Amino acid sequence: MELTPRVAGMAALLAILPVAAFGIFRTWWAGAITLVNVLLIAVSLYLLFSPNDGAGHNSHEEAATGEEAV
């Protein structure tokens, strides 16, 4: 099975269930902070596994002119 951005994001969002339990049975603000952390991790995993468009630091125009980063 290939790990796609959608699957990685959904797997990370499964962590919201323990976060909800933590927020209910502990203090609400600790649950809110934990929820923000889980969402940041889920978005990071989605961006990590998503395909890029190929336009990066070394584009074809820079390579053609012979300019390179030092």
Side-chain angles (χ1 to χ4, degrees):
M1 181 172 124
E2 184 179 344
L3 185 62
T4 62
R6 190 173 287 175
V7 171
M10 291 304 292
L13 289 177
L14 285 175
I16 289 179
L17 297 174
V19 167
F22 185 75
I24 290 171
F25 297 117
R26 300 284 180 163
T27 58
W28 67 268
W29 55 269
I33 292 171
T34 307
L35 177 65
V36 170
N37 289 335
V38 167
L39 292 177
L40 284 172
I41 291 169
V43 170
S44 298
L45 284 173
Y46 179 81
L47 292 175
L48 176 71
F49 288 111
S50 63
N52 60 2
D53 58 359
H57 295 285
N58 295 327
S59 64
H60 295 291
E61 291 81 22
E62 291 178 40
T65 60
E67 296 177 15
E68 294 182 11
V70 178

